[in-house]
Amino acid sequence: MPKPPPSPKVAVLVYDGLCTFEYGIAVEVFGLPRPELGPGWYRLATCAVEPGPMRACGGLRVEADHGLEGLEDAGLVIVPGWKGPDVLPPAPLVEALRRAHAGGARLMSICSGVFVLAAAGLLAGRRATTHWRYAERLTAAYPDIVFDPDVLYVDEGQVLTSAGSAAGLDLALHLVRRDHGPEIANHVARRLVLPAHRNGGQRQYVERPVASERSRLSELLDAMRGRLDHPWTIGELARRAAMSERTFNRRFLEAAGSAPGAWLAAARVDRARELLEAADLSIEDVARRSGFGSPATLRHHFRRQLGVSPTDYRDQFGLRARAAGLA
């Protein structure tokens, strides 16, 4: 079962030049009252990096309820973007982040906020990501970071980083899932009118196919999702997209961020996760309905992508596990 956060308090940094959208992500996921989810839900605190009032993108002025002392008892600290990759965070902020980390708080950056965590030395030797247009500057300034350019977010346990701004929503939902389980994460995602989990990495947004190809590929992706148990082949997919196999493979990679086989395996794993969470089915039935055909193939791909077996996953997040947790 998911473990509760070390503290329900979520401290969000506020600074002059605040990235409004990234800040809004933190508020929308962690700051809205959700009485239907029980008393253990997060509580938001805004923490000023510098004396106010401060400006935010879009012509707003903001004033926080706390200073950096608000980080001391937080279970999660969010860096919602930053002023720029070349702007070093002030020493008091760096020290406050280090103290929070040493005290067990989790630190989460959205987009350019990764530069703040990097400057504090909290990403050395760890995997991390950020928006693709900041990749070269991050790796040049901090070569000790294991940079992953093709993911929407990275969870290193106590330190979490997201790619572009909207990927902060993916990371926030992932953290809700980690803290409160899939059912509550799915509930929050539905309220946001978002998928609970997005496939692919940010490479799919760097280059785009032309409009007509994008339309054909979009229809094809929908068809693949709708028939995951179909034995799709590259030849059939290329014919449906009206392309040669070589062109199809290249365009699919540009549009979806992964090769057709890898995308299909990820979609099937997602379907298997849903079945394991929501239905009391045998592993054989899950393998068949998700398109893997055999339990052995399901176990191979499931462990490769998620690091656990389907049986262990069901024991943690399935109906029986949730019923035991509610008993």
Side-chain angles (χ1 to χ4, degrees), residues 66 70 129 179 232 237 264 285:
H66 308 277
T129 193
D179 289 345
W232 297 103
L237 293 171
L264 191 57
D285 284 338

PDB file of all heavy atoms in Angstrom, residues 66 70 129 179 232 237 264 285:
ATOM      1  N   HIS A  66       4.472  33.006   4.141  1.00  0.00           N
ATOM      2  CA  HIS A  66       5.630  32.658   4.958  1.00  0.00           C
ATOM      3  C   HIS A  66       6.897  33.043   4.228  1.00  0.00           C
ATOM      4  O   HIS A  66       6.902  33.280   3.023  1.00  0.00           O
ATOM      5  CB  HIS A  66       5.664  31.144   5.244  1.00  0.00           C
ATOM      6  CG  HIS A  66       4.393  30.606   5.808  1.00  0.00           C
ATOM      7  ND1 HIS A  66       4.074  30.661   7.146  1.00  0.00           N
ATOM      8  CD2 HIS A  66       3.340  29.998   5.194  1.00  0.00           C
ATOM      9  CE1 HIS A  66       2.897  30.108   7.341  1.00  0.00           C
ATOM     10  NE2 HIS A  66       2.424  29.705   6.179  1.00  0.00           N
ATOM     11  N   GLY A  70       9.167  28.588   6.349  1.00  0.00           N
ATOM     12  CA  GLY A  70       8.037  27.699   6.082  1.00  0.00           C
ATOM     13  C   GLY A  70       8.443  26.352   5.521  1.00  0.00           C
ATOM     14  O   GLY A  70       7.642  25.423   5.487  1.00  0.00           O
ATOM     15  N   THR A 129      15.668  15.655 -15.091  1.00  0.00           N
ATOM     16  CA  THR A 129      15.259  16.138 -16.405  1.00  0.00           C
ATOM     17  C   THR A 129      14.801  17.581 -16.284  1.00  0.00           C
ATOM     18  O   THR A 129      14.635  18.121 -15.181  1.00  0.00           O
ATOM     19  CB  THR A 129      14.153  15.246 -17.005  1.00  0.00           C
ATOM     20  OG1 THR A 129      13.998  15.555 -18.398  1.00  0.00           O
ATOM     21  CG2 THR A 129      12.817  15.455 -16.292  1.00  0.00           C
ATOM     22  N   ASP A 179       1.703   8.641  -2.986  1.00  0.00           N
ATOM     23  CA  ASP A 179       1.317   8.903  -1.600  1.00  0.00           C
ATOM     24  C   ASP A 179      -0.019   8.277  -1.216  1.00  0.00           C
ATOM     25  O   ASP A 179      -0.180   7.786  -0.097  1.00  0.00           O
ATOM     26  CB  ASP A 179       1.215  10.415  -1.361  1.00  0.00           C
ATOM     27  CG  ASP A 179       2.565  11.102  -1.362  1.00  0.00           C
ATOM     28  OD1 ASP A 179       3.589  10.397  -1.254  1.00  0.00           O
ATOM     29  OD2 ASP A 179       2.599  12.346  -1.478  1.00  0.00           O
ATOM     30  N   TRP A 232      -0.645  -6.342 -33.999  1.00  0.00           N
ATOM     31  CA  TRP A 232      -0.214  -5.301 -34.921  1.00  0.00           C
ATOM     32  C   TRP A 232       1.183  -5.597 -35.465  1.00  0.00           C
ATOM     33  O   TRP A 232       2.078  -6.007 -34.740  1.00  0.00           O
ATOM     34  CB  TRP A 232      -0.190  -3.944 -34.209  1.00  0.00           C
ATOM     35  CG  TRP A 232      -1.520  -3.480 -33.717  1.00  0.00           C
ATOM     36  CD1 TRP A 232      -1.988  -3.513 -32.434  1.00  0.00           C
ATOM     37  CD2 TRP A 232      -2.567  -2.906 -34.509  1.00  0.00           C
ATOM     38  NE1 TRP A 232      -3.251  -2.997 -32.364  1.00  0.00           N
ATOM     39  CE2 TRP A 232      -3.637  -2.612 -33.627  1.00  0.00           C
ATOM     40  CE3 TRP A 232      -2.705  -2.603 -35.862  1.00  0.00           C
ATOM     41  CZ2 TRP A 232      -4.822  -2.042 -34.059  1.00  0.00           C
ATOM     42  CZ3 TRP A 232      -3.889  -2.033 -36.297  1.00  0.00           C
ATOM     43  CH2 TRP A 232      -4.935  -1.766 -35.409  1.00  0.00           C
ATOM     44  N   LEU A 237       0.549  -1.392 -39.929  1.00  0.00           N
ATOM     45  CA  LEU A 237       0.485  -0.010 -39.453  1.00  0.00           C
ATOM     46  C   LEU A 237       0.908   0.956 -40.555  1.00  0.00           C
ATOM     47  O   LEU A 237       0.278   2.011 -40.739  1.00  0.00           O
ATOM     48  CB  LEU A 237       1.382   0.153 -38.227  1.00  0.00           C
ATOM     49  CG  LEU A 237       0.938  -0.598 -36.959  1.00  0.00           C
ATOM     50  CD1 LEU A 237       2.029  -0.542 -35.890  1.00  0.00           C
ATOM     51  CD2 LEU A 237      -0.363  -0.020 -36.413  1.00  0.00           C
ATOM     52  N   LEU A 264       3.618   0.432 -28.234  1.00  0.00           N
ATOM     53  CA  LEU A 264       2.566  -0.561 -28.053  1.00  0.00           C
ATOM     54  C   LEU A 264       2.774  -1.342 -26.752  1.00  0.00           C
ATOM     55  O   LEU A 264       1.812  -1.608 -26.021  1.00  0.00           O
ATOM     56  CB  LEU A 264       2.554  -1.515 -29.246  1.00  0.00           C
ATOM     57  CG  LEU A 264       1.370  -2.474 -29.371  1.00  0.00           C
ATOM     58  CD1 LEU A 264       0.044  -1.713 -29.407  1.00  0.00           C
ATOM     59  CD2 LEU A 264       1.517  -3.328 -30.633  1.00  0.00           C
ATOM     60  N   ASP A 285      -5.771 -13.987 -17.714  1.00  0.00           N
ATOM     61  CA  ASP A 285      -6.787 -13.110 -18.307  1.00  0.00           C
ATOM     62  C   ASP A 285      -6.239 -11.706 -18.548  1.00  0.00           C
ATOM     63  O   ASP A 285      -6.539 -11.070 -19.564  1.00  0.00           O
ATOM     64  CB  ASP A 285      -8.017 -13.037 -17.400  1.00  0.00           C
ATOM     65  CG  ASP A 285      -8.874 -14.292 -17.484  1.00  0.00           C
ATOM     66  OD1 ASP A 285      -8.764 -15.004 -18.508  1.00  0.00           O
ATOM     67  OD2 ASP A 285      -9.641 -14.556 -16.541  1.00  0.00           O
TER      68      ASP A 285
END
